[in-house]
Amino acid sequence: MPPFGVAVVGAGYWGPNLVRNFATSPLWRLRWACDFNTERARAIVRHLDDVRVTADIADVLSDPDVAAVAIATPAATHTELALACVEAGKHVLVEKPLAATAADGVKVVEAAAAAGVVLMCDHTYCYTPSVAKIHELTHGGELGDIQYVDSVRINLGLIQPDVDVFWDLAPHDLSILDFVLPPEAAPLSVAAVGADPVNAGRSCVGFLAMPLLNGGIAHIHVNWLSPTKIRKTVVGGSRKMIVWDDLEPSQRVSVYDKGVDVVDAPEDARTRRLVSYRVGDMIAPALVETEALQNVVTEFADAIRSGRPPRTDGWAGLRVLRMLEAATRSTEAGGQAIALTTEREGSTP
Amino acid sequence: MPPFGVAVVGAGYWGPNLVRNFATSPLWRLRWACDFNTERARAIVRHLDDVRVTADIADVLSDPDVAAVAIATPAATHTELALACVEAGKHVLVEKPLAATAADGVKVVEAAAAAGVVLMCDHTYCYTPSVAKIHELTHGGELGDIQYVDSVRINLGLIQPDVDVFWDLAPHDLSILDFVLPPEAAPLSVAAVGADPVNAGRSCVGFLAMPLLNGGIAHIHVNWLSPTKIRKTVVGGSRKMIVWDDLEPSQRVSVYDKGVDVVDAPEDARTRRLVSYRVGDMIAPALVETEALQNVVTEFADAIRSGRPPRTDGWAGLRVLRMLEAATRSTEAGGQAIALTTEREGSTP
Amino acid sequence: MPPFGVAVVGAGYWGPNLVRNFATSPLWRLRWACDFNTERARAIVRHLDDVRVTADIADVLSDPDVAAVAIATPAATHTELALACVEAGKHVLVEKPLAATAADGVKVVEAAAAAGVVLMCDHTYCYTPSVAKIHELTHGGELGDIQYVDSVRINLGLIQPDVDVFWDLAPHDLSILDFVLPPEAAPLSVAAVGADPVNAGRSCVGFLAMPLLNGGIAHIHVNWLSPTKIRKTVVGGSRKMIVWDDLEPSQRVSVYDKGVDVVDAPEDARTRRLVSYRVGDMIAPALVETEALQNVVTEFADAIRSGRPPRTDGWAGLRVLRMLEAATRSTEAGGQAIALTTEREGSTP
Amino acid sequence: MPPFGVAVVGAGYWGPNLVRNFATSPLWRLRWACDFNTERARAIVRHLDDVRVTADIADVLSDPDVAAVAIATPAATHTELALACVEAGKHVLVEKPLAATAADGVKVVEAAAAAGVVLMCDHTYCYTPSVAKIHELTHGGELGDIQYVDSVRINLGLIQPDVDVFWDLAPHDLSILDFVLPPEAAPLSVAAVGADPVNAGRSCVGFLAMPLLNGGIAHIHVNWLSPTKIRKTVVGGSRKMIVWDDLEPSQRVSVYDKGVDVVDAPEDARTRRLVSYRVGDMIAPALVETEALQNVVTEFADAIRSGRPPRTDGWAGLRVLRMLEAATRSTEAGGQAIALTTEREGSTP
């Protein structure tokens, strides 16, 4: 089967990575690099044969050899570009966030559904071997009931000029949560607390608490002001528990055969006898170090070919958007919990 | 100057530690071990000469050679015992929490003040070399403005039969916060979120967010269900930042000369130019490994001798109680922030 | 079956540990503490009933209720004391090293064999859960052929007044090696290099290289001058590999399913195709944290009861002594390898 | 001043890195990529303008615009290529090792000296911020006398088809040692022990012990069979001690204010009173993360411009070669120490 033609739109921070991965994939044939700054577009495909450069998205959309478009422009432009692509019958891969608002996100998702094209969100972390392994454990039953997720993503990071720390860093954690939490542990609401101790004009430190449908809880700590860099997520289950430390290349994922069992309904809460503890071996599964983005472009091609939704489709992007919007509303409401609607793909958003 | 006579009341978990430290201090002379179970009381002083054992607190209180009493009984009994000691003119050292409720705590604090005896709370962590160093840095100006404190105290811990994870673990963090935060960074309110995913009948996972007077924020994560043990506190300041990892004996405290400066009021929020970053050396100060409880009994004796309040006096214990009560009310109110009154010692509680 | 009566001789650094473990074992009844300084002897048994104190070993040896003696005196006195105990028909547990010289060690081993009493060396590390697990893996075939052992035991340690760093620290590593190496991987020789860069009058930094019978190699690094403390041993096998980090309580032993296979005899050494690499999961087995010395006293009692040699018998102590003596000879000979005789228990030394 | 023209010879593993760094340096103008496989040569310069490709070194040497040549071909070809370059009056940068044998190395060094061209060895590690900092501390007196160096470079590495583990990995450590050790701590001899437990036909595990002129010792452990990757070097000095952990990006270099002082000649070796210990703060200096190879090409240009020897000149490369040859001879002689000649630059080799 011949490769699909693809165009990369946006030659900024992420564009070169998309170029590299489409260019080296046998499933794809890179046709265009598109950026309003054609110098920049030219620079990222200079070493490649037969890739054209343009500032005009119309050149891309009118090319019958282009089956799909990857959008890596600033978030504010995602909706307009994605709708144009969908209208032209092109499959679309969008960087996070899917759109600037959930309302816009709904438009894009509905348009893609109506047009019958694949809409995929580039939630890159969901395609790392680590998160794939966590997904396998949470969905395969090995972890048991999800009791809590605690995710820490902190460092001395760039204070962004246009978004706060929630919108800058939490999309990673939220897209991972959305991917690894099974339906019975879906988040119910978001309570967010932020702080701006450096007077930057927006939250630089943020905490998100999200009660889960099954009685568990998810919590996220994002921070631009930390002296040390931490990328660590713990997933506690009733059977096993996972620690994912993304800065520990030799042992990213550790699976602990540990747990607590409360044997009885705690009628007599004054005794400890009802609780038992289990401490078994820890296993750090061998993970093949692959580039996540290569898996993204493969999944995109497979979804187009087979007509199935990709692993991180428009609905996933929309759910992440809704959690971010809830976080913003919660901080504005003094940390009050904001309920989430929890539709899954197939239902009307 | 002769040593003070002292009695230890309560021969449970903490009693033997008090016995050991009073017995080896030249400032103290241990006179009594008191427990309703005299077998247990006898066991913890068996190797010592001249220490009497009783089940009756009256024996202790009527002994003119007893200047002070250390109370290490269950929390529910603290108020009654402390008031009896105060009434008998004895100085009092109380285990955390000071009392079962803040209202009771007020009674004890006021009674001690009226009687002119020293009331000290055994906030042991505040007497470790690590916390003493942090206090020195936050109060000496070296850290600059406190921007945030993030404290994590998690492990696969015993699910307590009578208290939730906030009342079991957070008193440590709250007493440390109370000690190291300067007045301009006092906590304003408490928003708490808990979860009981194992159906234990009480919160087993908890998060506390506390905005600070100066615009910063403190956050605490306590957890009985974590596969790994973490005891880590970060204190971010405008000049320097501290990481205290209590499980890293070779480098417990690290002081980073790192920071973010927002040079200007961010009128034009679209540019990053106003922000500057500083990354200098890290220093791990040499800390003498001493037993914190030895410092506690020394501080207790010094406070009695000099008539000054101890470093962690009754007011400190009361403030911790109020934060815990606010946490409980917040969880009951769905995570809503509960305001704290922020009186300091000297003012009416 | 009634417990055995036992005496502890030597009330210095290790004596109190022996006292505590004999006193709390149901298999033993502690009868005597013996030290030329009876004050010191009295101090370590003061809290115990019915333990007598003496400066005269004859009191101990003439007591028919004493079945066994634990010797924790300076190394120079081990031989004389052990021989006296053996002559009196007492079973003997000796601290490392067994004797001051291998020649003396032979005398003790032979005397014990002739008298039919149990002679056990207190190679405490061999009774830790970590080393027991390593022994299980090396002797059960799970590791495959032992390819190398690398042991590092370094810190800013006390410069001993009477022994060099080899005799101070390496006995631990050598006794562990002796325990975990299967016969086909027995050490053949010792090449030692030492240095005394602080002019202490003896080696403060030392390296021991020991080729193994099967073509592998063992290496030990001991050091009194290191700024950081390391206690780490790697055991590389053809099927699996072990890392034992004794300062990592949450994950002391890690078993890697990793390896290198050279498929063919390397006739054509210019190609890499003959080598294959295997990288599978890592497992950190759950280890129960028990006090090793409790296991030592249990093994001692079991050996006496059943008439079998203990896990670390006199021969083991003798082999360690011979490796230490070879190390000394090697350093004197400029690092030249000194051959070891490799008799095992049962053969004439 | 105009940039120097340069050619890169050898388009294998290291060639692309040289191309990238010469191409991005304002001090250089990349003219040629030369490889017997011109396809490969073309591939590494394809994205660059005005770089010619050839299989014939004569094209390079006859180009008057080429001032310097960087040689990144297999070691066996270094001597012939370097001599040809020198003869053509070109400055030369050679990958490690300088030549296949020390005898060949001498020829190259002497030819370069006679021709008055710069001969530089690409000891890349010496241009990292970490090693530069160590050099500053060892040469500036802050460390005091060098007591020992312990370097560990181990992992599950590729078993090389043509060289053993000493020649594959130890050149890194030896070139670092050569750079950071001051003259009074120069290595005197090399004792090497290797093992080939997988029957690969060459040593896969190796240990190098090198006594130093001042009574200290350097030790290197290289290993292709380790389950975990370690890149750690400790430099112990009489005033301070350094730990360099190259796999710890957040704290690569730690400088400990620790030490041992033996106050007196140990006439009475039975007392410990003569030894004192110092434990002060630890400092992890801020290091700018730069690419070492960029510093290499800058140093090369500066040396040419100013007519001074580069920091790692031909003599340095020769000294490393001699240590490697001594290691080989030592393993062949059963670990016997092989003396080193310790000439420094300026003297006849």
Side-chain angles (χ1 to χ4, degrees):
Chain A
M1 203 166 179
F4 296 116
V6 66
V8 168
V9 182
Y13 168 65
W14 198 244
N17 296 326
L18 288 167
V19 162
R20 178 163 37 80
N21 279 281
F22 280 118
T24 56
S25 167
L27 305 173
W28 291 100
R29 174 118 188 232
L30 184 61
R31 294 287 187 177
W32 292 91
C34 174
D35 195 285
F36 71 92
N37 179 340
T38 51
E39 271 309 297
R40 204 161 57 171
R42 205 177 323 273
I44 67 172
V45 294
R46 190 188 189 191
H47 58 294
L48 297 168
D49 295 323
D50 304 326
V51 181
R52 277 176 290 173
V53 163
T54 182
D56 187 353
I57 186 72
D59 290 342
V60 170
L61 299 182
S62 62
D63 182 348
D65 286 343
V66 169
V69 177
I71 300 175
T73 56
T77 66
H78 285 184
T79 303
E80 191 183 344
L81 278 170
L83 289 175
C85 292
V86 165
E87 197 173 329
K90 311 298 189 193
H91 305 287
V92 182
L93 175 70
V94 192
E95 285 318 296
K96 57 128 189 127
L98 169 59
T101 67
D104 276 357
V106 169
K107 284 186 209 159
V108 177
V109 168
E110 291 186 335
V117 298
V118 168
L119 173 64
M120 176 168 172
C121 288
D122 180 7
H123 292 167
T124 319
Y125 269 108
C126 300
Y127 298 87
T128 58
S130 300
V131 177
K133 171 57 74 174
I134 295 172
H135 180 272
E136 176 192 325
L137 295 169
T138 55
H139 282 72
E142 195 170 338
L143 233 67
D145 296 330
I146 306 302
Q147 298 177 339
Y148 75 96
V149 183
D150 178 48
S151 201
V152 179
R153 185 175 303 273
I154 69 180
N155 61 299
L156 199 65
L158 281 189
I159 293 179
Q160 298 295 323
D162 42 8
V163 295
D164 65 14
V165 73
F166 293 107
W167 284 77
D168 182 39
L169 296 183
H172 296 303
D173 306 283
L174 293 172
S175 63
I176 294 165
L177 272 185
D178 182 71
F179 182 58
V180 303
L181 288 179
E184 65 273 18
L188 299 177
S189 64
V190 177
V193 179
D196 174 19
V198 298
N199 200 24
R202 58 193 62 83
S203 289
C204 296
V205 178
F207 303 95
L208 284 170
M210 304 167 70
L212 307 179
L213 184 56
N214 67 350
I217 190 164
H219 188 270
I220 296 171
H221 175 197
V222 283
N223 193 327
W224 282 332
L225 305 177
S226 167
T228 51
K229 184 175 181 176
I230 302 182
R231 297 277 180 276
K232 195 185 273 194
T233 299
V234 179
V235 184
S238 58
R239 293 217 186 95
K240 293 201 175 161
M241 295 172 170
I242 302 171
V243 175
W244 168 35
D245 186 342
D246 206 39
L247 302 184
E248 198 64 75
S250 66
Q251 189 180 326
R252 289 193 205 275
V253 174
S254 305
V255 184
Y256 293 83
D257 183 13
K258 283 188 176 181
V260 176
D261 296 304
V262 177
V263 181
D264 237 347
E267 297 173 26
D268 175 7
R270 302 205 60 81
T271 167
R272 296 181 192 186
R273 276 180 224 126
L274 304 162
V275 182
S276 74
Y277 299 87
R278 187 167 27 81
V279 179
D281 294 352
M282 184 272 274
I283 296 184
L287 299 174
V288 180
E289 295 267 331
T290 58
E291 183 170 8
L293 201 45
Q294 190 59 225
N295 299 334
V296 169
V297 303
T298 299
E299 170 74 2
F300 190 30
D302 285 354
I304 294 170
R305 189 144 297 164
S306 62
R308 64 163 172 83
R311 220 190 290 173
T312 52
D313 61 5
W315 296 97
L318 190 52
R319 287 190 299 269
V320 169
L321 264 183
R322 284 182 167 149
M323 291 190 272
L324 288 169
E325 287 193 342
T328 298
R329 285 212 299 280
S330 176
T331 56
E332 289 166 359
Q336 202 183 311
I338 305 295
L340 290 167
T341 55
T342 57
E343 88 277 20
R344 293 261 154 173
E345 53 268 54
S347 60
T348 317
Chain B
M1 203 165 177
F4 296 117
V6 66
V8 169
V9 182
Y13 168 64
W14 198 244
N17 296 325
L18 288 167
V19 162
R20 178 163 38 78
N21 279 281
F22 279 118
T24 57
S25 167
L27 304 173
W28 290 99
R29 175 119 189 230
L30 185 61
R31 296 288 187 176
W32 292 91
C34 174
D35 195 285
F36 72 91
N37 179 339
T38 52
E39 271 309 297
R40 204 161 56 170
R42 207 178 321 276
I44 67 173
V45 294
R46 190 190 188 189
H47 58 295
L48 298 169
D49 294 322
D50 305 326
V51 181
R52 277 175 290 173
V53 164
T54 181
D56 187 352
I57 186 72
D59 291 342
V60 170
L61 298 183
S62 61
D63 181 348
D65 286 342
V66 169
V69 177
I71 300 174
T73 56
T77 66
H78 284 184
T79 304
E80 190 182 345
L81 278 169
L83 289 175
C85 293
V86 165
E87 197 173 331
K90 311 298 190 192
H91 305 286
V92 181
L93 175 71
V94 191
E95 284 318 297
K96 57 136 189 117
L98 168 60
T101 67
D104 276 358
V106 169
K107 284 186 209 159
V108 176
V109 168
E110 290 186 336
V117 299
V118 168
L119 174 63
M120 177 168 172
C121 287
D122 181 8
H123 292 166
T124 320
Y125 269 108
C126 300
Y127 298 88
T128 58
S130 299
V131 177
K133 170 58 75 175
I134 296 172
H135 180 272
E136 176 193 325
L137 295 169
T138 55
H139 282 71
E142 196 171 337
L143 232 68
D145 295 330
I146 305 303
Q147 298 177 339
Y148 74 96
V149 182
D150 178 48
S151 201
V152 178
R153 184 175 302 274
I154 68 179
N155 60 300
L156 199 66
L158 282 189
I159 293 179
Q160 298 295 323
D162 42 8
V163 294
D164 64 16
V165 74
F166 293 107
W167 284 78
D168 181 40
L169 296 182
H172 296 302
D173 306 283
L174 293 172
S175 62
I176 293 165
L177 271 185
D178 182 71
F179 182 57
V180 303
L181 288 179
E184 66 272 19
L188 298 179
S189 64
V190 177
V193 180
D196 173 19
V198 297
N199 200 24
R202 59 193 59 84
S203 289
C204 297
V205 178
F207 303 95
L208 283 171
M210 304 166 70
L212 307 179
L213 183 56
N214 66 351
I217 192 164
H219 189 271
I220 297 171
H221 175 195
V222 284
N223 193 327
W224 282 332
L225 305 177
S226 167
T228 51
K229 184 176 182 177
I230 302 182
R231 297 276 181 277
K232 195 185 273 195
T233 300
V234 178
V235 184
S238 58
R239 293 216 187 95
K240 293 201 173 161
M241 295 172 171
I242 302 172
V243 175
W244 168 35
D245 185 342
D246 206 40
L247 302 184
E248 197 64 75
S250 66
Q251 188 180 327
R252 288 192 205 275
V253 174
S254 305
V255 184
Y256 292 84
D257 183 14
K258 280 188 177 181
V260 177
D261 295 304
V262 176
V263 180
D264 237 346
E267 296 173 27
D268 175 7
R270 302 204 63 78
T271 167
R272 296 180 192 186
R273 278 179 222 125
L274 303 163
V275 183
S276 73
Y277 300 87
R278 186 168 27 81
V279 179
D281 294 352
M282 184 273 273
I283 296 185
L287 299 175
V288 181
E289 295 267 330
T290 58
E291 184 170 8
L293 201 45
Q294 189 60 224
N295 299 334
V296 169
V297 304
T298 299
E299 171 75 1
F300 190 29
D302 285 353
I304 294 170
R305 190 145 297 164
S306 62
R308 65 164 173 81
R311 220 189 293 173
T312 52
D313 61 4
W315 296 97
L318 191 51
R319 287 191 299 270
V320 169
L321 264 183
R322 284 184 168 148
M323 292 189 273
L324 288 168
E325 287 193 342
T328 298
R329 285 212 298 279
S330 177
T331 56
E332 288 165 0
Q336 201 184 311
I338 304 295
L340 291 167
T341 54
T342 58
E343 88 278 18
R344 292 261 154 173
E345 54 268 56
S347 59
T348 318
Chain C
M1 204 165 177
F4 295 117
V6 66
V8 169
V9 182
Y13 168 66
W14 199 242
N17 296 325
L18 288 167
V19 162
R20 177 163 39 79
N21 279 281
F22 280 118
T24 57
S25 168
L27 304 173
W28 291 99
R29 175 119 189 231
L30 185 61
R31 296 286 188 178
W32 293 90
C34 174
D35 194 286
F36 71 91
N37 179 339
T38 52
E39 272 309 297
R40 203 160 59 171
R42 203 177 324 272
I44 67 173
V45 295
R46 191 189 186 189
H47 58 295
L48 298 169
D49 295 323
D50 304 326
V51 181
R52 277 175 290 175
V53 164
T54 181
D56 186 353
I57 187 72
D59 290 340
V60 170
L61 298 183
S62 61
D63 181 349
D65 286 341
V66 169
V69 177
I71 300 174
T73 55
T77 67
H78 285 184
T79 304
E80 190 182 344
L81 279 169
L83 289 175
C85 293
V86 166
E87 196 173 331
K90 311 298 189 191
H91 305 287
V92 182
L93 175 71
V94 190
E95 286 317 297
K96 58 133 188 119
L98 169 60
T101 66
D104 276 357
V106 169
K107 284 187 208 157
V108 177
V109 169
E110 291 186 333
V117 298
V118 168
L119 173 64
M120 176 168 173
C121 288
D122 181 8
H123 292 167
T124 319
Y125 269 108
C126 300
Y127 297 88
T128 59
S130 300
V131 177
K133 170 59 74 173
I134 296 172
H135 179 272
E136 176 192 325
L137 295 169
T138 55
H139 281 71
E142 195 170 337
L143 233 67
D145 295 330
I146 305 302
Q147 297 177 340
Y148 73 97
V149 182
D150 178 47
S151 201
V152 178
R153 185 175 303 272
I154 68 180
N155 62 299
L156 199 64
L158 283 189
I159 293 180
Q160 298 294 323
D162 42 7
V163 294
D164 64 15
V165 73
F166 293 107
W167 284 77
D168 182 40
L169 297 183
H172 296 303
D173 306 283
L174 293 171
S175 63
I176 294 165
L177 272 185
D178 182 70
F179 182 58
V180 303
L181 288 179
E184 66 271 19
L188 298 178
S189 64
V190 177
V193 179
D196 174 21
V198 297
N199 200 24
R202 58 193 61 82
S203 289
C204 297
V205 179
F207 303 95
L208 283 171
M210 304 166 70
L212 307 179
L213 184 55
N214 67 350
I217 190 165
H219 189 269
I220 297 171
H221 174 195
V222 283
N223 193 327
W224 282 331
L225 304 178
S226 167
T228 51
K229 183 174 181 176
I230 301 181
R231 297 276 180 277
K232 196 185 272 196
T233 300
V234 179
V235 184
S238 58
R239 294 216 185 95
K240 292 202 175 162
M241 295 173 171
I242 302 172
V243 175
W244 168 36
D245 185 342
D246 207 39
L247 302 184
E248 197 65 74
S250 65
Q251 189 180 326
R252 287 191 206 276
V253 174
S254 305
V255 184
Y256 293 84
D257 183 13
K258 282 188 175 179
V260 177
D261 295 304
V262 177
V263 180
D264 238 345
E267 297 174 25
D268 174 7
R270 302 205 61 80
T271 168
R272 295 179 192 186
R273 274 179 226 129
L274 303 162
V275 183
S276 73
Y277 299 88
R278 186 167 28 80
V279 178
D281 294 351
M282 184 272 275
I283 296 184
L287 300 174
V288 180
E289 294 268 329
T290 58
E291 184 170 9
L293 200 46
Q294 189 60 221
N295 300 334
V296 169
V297 303
T298 298
E299 171 74 2
F300 190 31
D302 285 354
I304 294 171
R305 190 145 296 163
S306 62
R308 64 164 172 82
R311 221 189 292 172
T312 52
D313 62 4
W315 295 97
L318 189 53
R319 288 191 298 269
V320 170
L321 265 183
R322 283 181 168 151
M323 292 190 272
L324 288 168
E325 288 193 342
T328 298
R329 284 212 300 279
S330 177
T331 56
E332 290 165 358
Q336 201 183 312
I338 304 297
L340 290 166
T341 55
T342 57
E343 89 278 18
R344 293 260 155 174
E345 54 269 54
S347 60
T348 317
Chain D
M1 203 166 179
F4 296 116
V6 66
V8 168
V9 182
Y13 168 65
W14 198 243
N17 295 325
L18 288 167
V19 162
R20 178 163 38 79
N21 279 282
F22 279 119
T24 56
S25 168
L27 305 173
W28 291 100
R29 175 121 188 228
L30 184 61
R31 296 288 187 176
W32 293 91
C34 174
D35 194 285
F36 72 91
N37 178 339
T38 52
E39 271 309 296
R40 203 161 57 171
R42 205 178 321 275
I44 67 172
V45 294
R46 191 190 187 189
H47 58 296
L48 298 168
D49 294 322
D50 305 325
V51 181
R52 277 176 289 173
V53 163
T54 181
D56 187 352
I57 187 71
D59 291 340
V60 170
L61 298 182
S62 62
D63 182 347
D65 286 341
V66 168
V69 177
I71 300 174
T73 56
T77 67
H78 285 184
T79 303
E80 189 181 346
L81 278 169
L83 289 175
C85 293
V86 165
E87 196 174 331
K90 312 297 189 192
H91 304 287
V92 181
L93 175 70
V94 190
E95 285 318 297
K96 57 136 189 115
L98 169 60
T101 66
D104 277 356
V106 169
K107 283 185 209 159
V108 177
V109 169
E110 290 187 334
V117 298
V118 168
L119 173 63
M120 177 167 172
C121 288
D122 181 8
H123 292 166
T124 319
Y125 269 109
C126 300
Y127 297 88
T128 59
S130 300
V131 177
K133 170 58 75 175
I134 296 172
H135 180 270
E136 175 193 324
L137 294 169
T138 55
H139 281 72
E142 196 170 336
L143 233 68
D145 294 331
I146 307 302
Q147 297 177 340
Y148 74 97
V149 182
D150 178 48
S151 201
V152 178
R153 185 175 303 274
I154 68 179
N155 61 300
L156 199 66
L158 282 190
I159 294 179
Q160 298 295 323
D162 42 8
V163 294
D164 64 16
V165 73
F166 293 107
W167 283 77
D168 181 39
L169 297 182
H172 296 302
D173 305 284
L174 293 172
S175 63
I176 293 165
L177 271 185
D178 182 71
F179 182 57
V180 303
L181 288 178
E184 66 271 19
L188 298 178
S189 65
V190 177
V193 179
D196 173 19
V198 297
N199 200 23
R202 58 193 61 83
S203 289
C204 298
V205 178
F207 303 94
L208 282 171
M210 304 166 70
L212 306 179
L213 184 55
N214 68 350
I217 191 165
H219 188 270
I220 296 171
H221 174 196
V222 283
N223 193 326
W224 282 332
L225 304 177
S226 168
T228 52
K229 184 175 180 176
I230 302 181
R231 297 277 181 276
K232 196 185 273 195
T233 300
V234 179
V235 184
S238 58
R239 294 215 186 97
K240 293 201 174 162
M241 295 173 171
I242 300 171
V243 175
W244 167 36
D245 186 341
D246 207 39
L247 302 184
E248 197 64 74
S250 65
Q251 188 180 327
R252 287 192 207 276
V253 174
S254 305
V255 184
Y256 292 84
D257 183 14
K258 282 188 176 180
V260 177
D261 296 303
V262 176
V263 181
D264 238 345
E267 296 173 26
D268 174 6
R270 302 204 61 79
T271 168
R272 296 178 191 186
R273 278 179 223 127
L274 304 163
V275 182
S276 73
Y277 299 88
R278 187 167 25 80
V279 179
D281 295 351
M282 184 274 273
I283 296 184
L287 299 175
V288 181
E289 294 268 330
T290 58
E291 184 171 6
L293 201 45
Q294 189 60 225
N295 299 333
V296 168
V297 302
T298 298
E299 171 75 1
F300 190 30
D302 285 354
I304 294 171
R305 191 144 295 163
S306 62
R308 65 165 173 81
R311 219 189 293 173
T312 52
D313 62 4
W315 296 97
L318 190 52
R319 287 191 298 271
V320 170
L321 265 183
R322 283 182 169 150
M323 292 190 272
L324 287 169
E325 288 194 342
T328 299
R329 284 213 299 279
S330 176
T331 55
E332 290 165 358
Q336 199 182 314
I338 305 295
L340 290 166
T341 54
T342 56
E343 87 278 20
R344 292 262 154 172
E345 54 268 56
S347 60
T348 317

